[in-house]
Amino acid sequence: MQYFPLFVDTQGLRVLLVGAGEVATRKLDLLSRTDAIIHVIAPDVAKDIETYHAKGRITLSRRAVTDADIAHVDIVYLATANEQLNMDFADLANERGIWVNVVDNPSYCRFITPSIVDRGRLVVAISTAGAAPVFARTIRSRLETMLPSSLTPLFDFVASKREEVQQTLADGKDRRLFWERFFNSNQDKFDNLTEQRYADAFQEMSRQGEILLLTEHTPANLLPIAAMPLLQKLDVIFSDEAVDSDTNELLRRDANRTSIPKLSEIADHYEQGERMLIVASPEKVAQLIAYFPMAKHLRPGAL
């Protein structure tokens, strides 16, 4: 993974945008939606950027950039038509430990800006590490149709209730179960029944245990699609061998991981409402199926 995805708190972030043409305008359209403090420098300024300045959203300097400008900022975007200037100032920013992005020149970028789906508090970022931005935009267009605009007020509602839920439900597993029930009942929408669905989600908080079985060395790409959401809800993963990296990518990252315990201990976990994945040899899986008939065996093409 060449580029590690991060979500940066932009409150008080000092951003310098060098250039004020069409390319710079596209960057500013996105940056202006953040809380960053934005300074734009360019001798010639596009009309849309003039508008941002007139509204007081940015500081604008109508002149050429200088070495002194590449200081006391956190991030620099270089979006001029002069490729050599972009590269020279990218080198200067890197020397001074400032993160820099040169538009359409990934080799000079300390970071890249992904394609973004924005639903307020819910933000989805898609990147191809600069290799295929057109494909990233294609994925974005698909997600735009999948994620309704009603998610914006829904997540504002969730944010307003987060502290109340933490105070009401002390156990982390209970909170996860609550939010699962809430989101399932709302079906990605916010309406006049959302408050009632929120109250209803506190009812019947008993947890149902679940046992998923996976035979060792089963290729991740052959797992049934229906298993994917189950693998993201796991509380614990039991395996005597390291789970292969492809399969591990599908599992909930903060689930506990440990070796396979005795059958009686697995039964205790089940009674406590734990959601388990057990990765074992074919012989062990067969034994577990006989002992736990409620278990689901994740086999290629079936669930």
Side-chain angles (χ1 to χ4, degrees):
M1 186 188 297
Q2 181 183 0
Y3 294 97
F4 185 78
L6 294 172
F7 285 87
V8 178
D9 184 353
T10 60
Q11 192 164 23
L13 193 74
R14 297 162 299 178
V15 177
L16 173 63
L17 174 58
V18 181
E22 180 183 350
V23 174
T25 300
R26 293 201 302 269
K27 291 297 180 186
L28 186 55
D29 288 340
L30 188 60
L31 288 168
S32 65
R33 289 148 64 179
T34 73
D35 295 326
I37 301 166
I38 305 169
H39 182 195
V40 178
I41 299 177
D44 301 309
V45 181
K47 181 179 179 181
D48 288 343
I49 290 182
E50 291 276 15
T51 301
Y52 281 115
H53 179 239
K55 292 179 178 178
R57 179 61 189 90
I58 65 171
T59 300
L60 178 61
S61 299
R62 295 179 178 85
R63 58 173 174 79
V65 65
T66 68
D67 290 6
D69 294 317
I70 311 298
H72 309 299
V73 295
D74 301 303
I75 287 176
V76 175
Y77 279 94
L78 293 161
T80 78
N82 187 330
E83 186 175 350
Q84 188 60 53
L85 181 148
N86 290 342
M87 293 187 294
D88 289 344
F89 278 95
D91 288 337
L92 181 60
N94 279 314
E95 289 172 7
R96 295 178 176 180
I98 299 169
W99 283 33
V100 62
N101 176 283
V102 179
V103 177
D104 294 331
N105 194 341
S107 62
Y108 275 81
C109 292
R110 186 68 179 84
F111 71 97
I112 57 176
T113 303
S115 186
I116 291 174
V117 179
D118 183 1
R119 295 294 183 269
R121 297 175 188 272
L122 175 65
V123 177
V124 181
I126 309 109
S127 171
T128 60
V134 172
F135 183 76
R137 288 195 293 270
T138 300
I139 298 298
R140 175 194 166 191
S141 66
R142 295 175 186 173
L143 290 172
E144 289 281 4
T145 61
M146 291 171 57
L147 300 174
S149 58
S150 59
L151 284 173
T152 300
L154 178 62
F155 276 87
D156 286 340
F157 175 86
V158 168
S160 72
K161 298 294 187 181
R162 185 175 177 83
E163 185 175 346
E164 180 179 295
V165 172
Q166 289 177 326
Q167 292 176 350
T168 305
L169 303 173
D171 187 87
K173 293 175 185 175
D174 286 338
R175 291 197 295 271
R176 285 200 304 272
L177 177 63
F178 167 82
W179 287 119
E180 285 175 15
R181 288 167 55 85
F182 172 77
F183 283 114
N184 287 338
S185 64
N186 276 276
Q187 298 180 340
D188 300 338
K189 64 182 179 181
F190 179 84
D191 55 28
N192 57 2
L193 295 178
T194 297
E195 187 76 50
Q196 183 59 52
R197 297 189 192 104
Y198 169 79
D200 292 343
F202 283 104
Q203 308 303 315
E204 300 179 10
M205 289 297 296
S206 59
R207 295 197 296 265
Q208 176 65 51
E210 193 158 11
I211 301 175
L212 306 178
L213 304 175
L214 179 62
T215 303
E216 291 171 346
H217 311 304
T218 299
N221 64 320
L222 296 183
L223 290 175
I225 293 176
M228 303 309 165
L230 301 177
L231 298 177
Q232 283 296 312
K233 296 179 180 179
L234 297 171
D235 296 306
V236 61
I237 299 160
F238 293 128
S239 179
D240 289 334
E241 295 185 10
V243 178
D244 71 88
S245 59
D246 289 340
T247 301
N248 201 49
E249 281 297 305
L250 304 176
L251 308 180
R252 180 169 164 248
R253 286 190 169 87
D254 53 351
N256 294 327
R257 287 163 167 79
T258 186
S259 57
I260 302 175
K262 298 177 181 179
L263 294 177
S264 59
E265 293 179 44
I266 295 174
D268 289 340
H269 282 281
Y270 181 80
E271 291 298 324
Q272 293 168 16
E274 299 269 323
R275 295 163 173 169
M276 296 164 275
L277 172 68
I278 305 174
V279 185
S281 65
E283 296 77 17
K284 184 68 172 180
V285 167
Q287 179 187 12
L288 290 166
I289 291 173
Y291 196 90
F292 300 106
M294 79 294 286
K296 298 176 182 177
H297 187 190
L298 305 183
R299 302 187 305 275
L303 181 59

